[in-house]
Amino acid sequence: AKIMKNKIVIIVFFLTIIFGSTSPFWDSFVVIEVFFGVIPLLLLLLISSVLIIINSISKNKKISDSIISFLIPIFIATQITSTFLVDKLQKFRSESLIEELHLIQKQKKKLPENIETPTGIKYHKIKGEETFVISFSRGFLITEKYYSDEDKWRSYGWND
């Protein structure tokens, strides 16, 4: 029974990491989390912190209890980490695409109507102009957009 309980705890631990790292990119989940889940998550974080302190002081330590008390902090940390990493990765990939588009524009004197973009990055050529917009989601309903006519990045939140 103890081995089965430890296996379940380990599976839950890994599912928490996977769910935490992907959930900032599910718009409907983010809306629910932001508007209905912040207070419960903070309360669970407080309870988890108390459990972590109690487990660290207690002489009767169970590995499964320790891992369970870390689930909420791990969930929150993976959300923040994945948002940061995806932002950096997508910005780097977008910058490469922007350089490629400027090179095409310089060589052909014209921008392509469509171009294959890396996963999660969108390209939009402005009609009637030789300008374009590159965009990607940072997670938590935030979109980064690059405007070629201004040569600037701008961030847009859920209400912009």
Side-chain angles (χ1 to χ4, degrees):
K2 185 178 179 182
I3 294 172
M4 186 64 167
K5 183 180 178 186
N6 285 342
K7 284 183 180 181
I8 291 171
V9 168
I10 290 170
I11 290 169
V12 168
F13 176 76
F14 283 112
L15 287 175
T16 300
I17 290 174
I18 292 167
F19 183 64
S21 60
T22 58
S23 63
F25 306 99
W26 301 342
D27 293 343
S28 55
F29 177 78
V30 171
V31 169
I32 292 167
E33 182 180 25
V34 168
F35 291 109
F36 303 109
V38 171
I39 292 172
L41 270 177
L42 289 174
L43 287 172
L44 287 171
L45 183 62
L46 179 66
I47 292 167
S48 293
S49 301
V50 169
L51 286 174
I52 290 167
I53 291 168
I54 290 171
N55 278 339
S56 65
I57 295 171
S58 173
K59 292 182 180 170
N60 183 14
K61 295 181 182 182
K62 293 181 183 175
I63 191 163
S64 60
D65 292 343
S66 298
I67 291 175
I68 289 172
S69 61
F70 278 107
L71 287 179
I72 296 298
I74 288 170
F75 176 71
I76 293 169
T78 54
Q79 286 186 329
I80 294 167
T81 304
S82 70
T83 302
F84 174 78
L85 292 175
V86 165
D87 179 44
K88 296 298 177 196
L89 176 67
Q90 293 295 62
K91 189 77 139 213
F92 174 77
R93 294 164 72 194
S94 295
E95 293 291 343
S96 298
L97 180 61
I98 291 165
E99 287 177 23
E100 180 184 340
L101 286 165
H102 284 306
L103 186 64
I104 291 170
Q105 188 176 30
K106 189 175 182 181
Q107 291 173 347
K108 297 184 177 182
K109 307 288 187 230
K110 187 176 181 181
L111 286 168
E113 291 297 321
N114 295 310
I115 192 168
E116 191 171 320
T117 60
T119 303
I121 298 174
K122 296 177 185 165
Y123 165 76
H124 176 73
K125 181 185 179 290
I126 307 297
K127 290 187 183 205
E129 299 180 32
E130 287 303 309
T131 61
F132 61 91
V133 177
I134 299 290
S135 64
F136 65 88
S137 172
R138 281 179 55 186
F140 291 112
L141 303 175
I142 298 172
T143 301
E144 293 289 326
K145 289 187 177 185
Y146 170 82
Y147 296 91
S148 66
D149 58 340
E150 300 174 8
D151 193 30
K152 275 189 177 177
W153 284 96
R154 294 182 190 251
S155 293
Y156 294 94
W158 64 275
N159 65 344
D160 291 330

